[in-house]
Amino acid sequence: MRQVGEGILELLRQDSEMPQAVGGMSIGADPITAAVITVADFHNISLKGFMVRKQSKEHGMKKFVEGPIAAGDHVIIVEDVVTTGGSSLEAIARVEEIGAKVEGVIAIIDRLEGGAEAFAAKGYKLRSLFTVHDFGIKT
Protein backbone atom coordinates (compact mmCIF):
# COMPACT_ATOMS: atom_id res chain seq x y z
CA MET A 1 0.00 0.00 0.00
CA ARG A 2 2.91 2.32 0.58
CA GLN A 3 3.93 2.01 -3.07
CA VAL A 4 0.39 2.81 -4.17
CA GLY A 5 0.29 5.81 -1.83
CA GLU A 6 3.68 7.04 -3.05
CA GLY A 7 2.72 6.56 -6.70
CA ILE A 8 -0.53 8.48 -6.39
CA LEU A 9 1.14 11.20 -4.32
CA GLU A 10 3.75 11.58 -7.08
CA LEU A 11 0.96 12.13 -9.62
CA LEU A 12 -0.64 14.69 -7.30
CA ARG A 13 2.66 16.54 -6.98
CA GLN A 14 2.70 17.03 -10.75
CA ASP A 15 -0.40 19.24 -10.48
CA SER A 16 -0.10 23.00 -10.07
CA GLU A 17 -1.87 22.71 -6.71
CA MET A 18 -2.28 19.86 -4.25
CA PRO A 19 -5.97 19.01 -3.68
CA GLN A 20 -7.45 19.35 -0.22
CA ALA A 21 -8.69 15.74 -0.22
CA VAL A 22 -8.76 12.37 -1.96
CA GLY A 23 -11.44 9.72 -1.80
CA GLY A 24 -13.84 7.63 -3.78
CA MET A 25 -16.53 5.01 -3.82
CA SER A 26 -16.53 2.85 -0.73
CA ILE A 27 -15.32 0.07 -0.26
CA GLY A 28 -12.85 -0.15 -3.16
CA ALA A 29 -11.34 3.31 -2.71
CA ASP A 30 -11.12 3.21 1.09
CA PRO A 31 -7.71 1.50 1.39
CA ILE A 32 -6.32 3.63 -1.44
CA THR A 33 -7.50 6.79 0.29
CA ALA A 34 -5.92 5.61 3.55
CA ALA A 35 -2.63 4.85 1.79
CA VAL A 36 -2.45 8.23 0.07
CA ILE A 37 -3.26 10.32 3.13
CA THR A 38 -0.86 8.27 5.28
CA VAL A 39 2.02 8.67 2.81
CA ALA A 40 1.19 12.37 2.45
CA ASP A 41 1.56 12.72 6.21
CA PHE A 42 5.02 11.06 6.02
CA HIS A 43 5.95 13.92 3.66
CA ASN A 44 4.33 16.60 5.87
CA ILE A 45 1.62 17.22 3.27
CA SER A 46 -1.82 18.02 4.62
CA LEU A 47 -4.37 15.91 2.77
CA LYS A 48 -7.83 14.83 3.92
CA GLY A 49 -9.66 11.66 3.00
CA PHE A 50 -13.32 10.96 2.36
CA MET A 51 -15.56 8.12 1.25
CA VAL A 52 -18.64 8.02 -0.93
CA ARG A 53 -21.39 5.58 -0.03
CA LYS A 54 -23.33 3.72 -2.71
CA GLN A 55 -26.47 4.34 -0.67
CA SER A 56 -27.09 6.94 2.00
CA LYS A 57 -27.37 5.78 5.57
CA GLU A 58 -30.90 5.00 6.73
CA HIS A 59 -30.38 6.99 9.92
CA GLY A 60 -28.54 10.04 11.16
CA MET A 61 -27.71 12.68 8.56
CA LYS A 62 -28.27 10.23 5.66
CA LYS A 63 -25.11 11.39 3.89
CA PHE A 64 -23.63 9.90 0.75
CA VAL A 65 -20.24 11.57 1.35
CA GLU A 66 -18.47 11.01 4.67
CA GLY A 67 -15.35 12.83 5.74
CA PRO A 68 -14.00 16.30 6.40
CA ILE A 69 -14.62 17.85 2.97
CA ALA A 70 -16.79 20.87 2.31
CA ALA A 71 -18.15 22.99 -0.49
CA GLY A 72 -15.31 24.62 -2.39
CA ASP A 73 -12.70 21.95 -1.56
CA HIS A 74 -10.67 20.69 -4.51
CA VAL A 75 -10.59 16.89 -4.50
CA ILE A 76 -9.33 13.93 -6.50
CA ILE A 77 -11.32 10.73 -6.89
CA VAL A 78 -9.23 7.58 -6.39
CA GLU A 79 -10.11 4.17 -7.77
CA ASP A 80 -8.57 0.72 -7.79
CA VAL A 81 -9.45 -0.35 -11.33
CA VAL A 82 -11.20 1.72 -14.00
CA THR A 83 -13.13 -0.08 -16.69
CA THR A 84 -15.98 2.10 -18.00
CA GLY A 85 -15.72 4.71 -15.23
CA GLY A 86 -19.26 4.22 -13.94
CA SER A 87 -18.56 4.00 -10.21
CA SER A 88 -16.17 6.95 -10.26
CA LEU A 89 -18.68 9.04 -12.22
CA GLU A 90 -21.23 8.22 -9.54
CA ALA A 91 -18.74 9.27 -6.85
CA ILE A 92 -18.04 12.50 -8.74
CA ALA A 93 -21.76 13.31 -8.88
CA ARG A 94 -22.16 12.74 -5.12
CA VAL A 95 -19.11 14.85 -4.27
CA GLU A 96 -20.22 17.67 -6.52
CA GLU A 97 -23.68 17.61 -4.90
CA ILE A 98 -22.07 18.88 -1.69
CA GLY A 99 -20.23 21.61 -3.60
CA ALA A 100 -16.71 20.18 -3.72
CA LYS A 101 -14.74 20.60 -6.97
CA VAL A 102 -13.51 17.37 -8.52
CA GLU A 103 -10.19 17.93 -10.28
CA GLY A 104 -9.86 14.46 -11.80
CA VAL A 105 -9.54 10.73 -11.20
CA ILE A 106 -6.49 8.65 -10.36
CA ALA A 107 -6.65 4.86 -10.61
CA ILE A 108 -4.18 2.15 -9.83
CA ILE A 109 -5.04 0.35 -13.09
CA ASP A 110 -6.80 1.57 -16.23
CA ARG A 111 -8.24 -1.40 -18.13
CA LEU A 112 -8.44 0.79 -21.26
CA GLU A 113 -12.11 -0.07 -21.79
CA GLY A 114 -13.57 3.41 -22.16
CA GLY A 115 -13.17 4.92 -18.71
CA ALA A 116 -10.79 7.68 -19.79
CA GLU A 117 -13.13 8.65 -22.61
CA ALA A 118 -16.17 8.66 -20.30
CA PHE A 119 -14.35 10.98 -17.89
CA ALA A 120 -13.11 13.23 -20.70
CA ALA A 121 -16.67 13.56 -22.03
CA LYS A 122 -17.62 15.02 -18.62
CA GLY A 123 -14.52 17.23 -18.39
CA TYR A 124 -12.35 15.08 -16.11
CA LYS A 125 -8.90 13.65 -16.71
CA LEU A 126 -8.02 10.07 -15.78
CA ARG A 127 -4.48 9.27 -14.71
CA SER A 128 -3.33 5.82 -13.66
CA LEU A 129 -0.29 4.17 -12.19
CA PHE A 130 -0.62 1.29 -14.68
CA THR A 131 -2.65 0.14 -17.66
CA VAL A 132 -3.45 -3.43 -18.60
CA HIS A 133 -0.65 -3.20 -21.16
CA ASP A 134 1.85 -3.00 -18.28
CA PHE A 135 0.77 -6.54 -17.38
CA GLY A 136 1.13 -7.88 -20.89
CA ILE A 137 -2.60 -7.82 -21.58
CA LYS A 138 -3.53 -6.70 -25.07
CA THR A 139 -6.73 -4.81 -25.69
Side-chain angles (χ1 to χ4, degrees):
M1 287 309 295
R2 184 168 184 169
Q3 289 176 322
V4 167
E6 292 282 359
I8 292 175
L9 189 61
E10 181 60 33
L11 291 176
L12 293 174
R13 286 178 164 163
Q14 294 172 8
D15 296 341
S16 59
E17 282 188 43
M18 185 69 65
Q20 278 98 18
V22 297
M25 192 63 76
S26 197
I27 286 181
D30 296 348
I32 300 165
T33 300
V36 175
I37 64 174
T38 299
V39 168
D41 189 60
F42 293 154
H43 295 281
N44 296 315
I45 297 170
S46 178
L47 194 58
K48 301 179 282 190
F50 64 92
M51 61 177 242
V52 180
R53 296 179 187 280
K54 291 182 183 179
Q55 295 181 337
S56 68
K57 289 171 58 175
E58 296 290 322
H59 59 284
M61 309 237 352
K62 299 182 180 180
K63 294 181 178 180
F64 278 99
V65 180
E66 297 284 349
I69 64 169
D73 282 355
H74 292 250
V75 306
I76 294 286
I77 300 296
V78 293
E79 179 74 86
D80 52 358
V81 177
V82 167
T83 304
T84 62
S87 65
S88 288
L89 287 170
E90 185 179 337
I92 288 168
R94 295 295 182 197
V95 169
E96 289 183 340
E97 284 174 1
I98 66 165
K101 172 71 172 131
V102 177
E103 298 294 332
V105 179
I106 297 178
I108 297 173
I109 301 170
D110 180 358
R111 293 183 65 188
L112 303 174
E113 293 186 16
E117 294 80 7
F119 295 131
K122 301 277 186 177
Y124 305 103
K125 182 178 179 182
L126 170 66
R127 294 178 286 173
S128 64
L129 299 178
F130 303 99
T131 71
V132 291
H133 293 167
D134 295 313
F135 300 96
I137 300 170
K138 296 183 183 188
T139 53

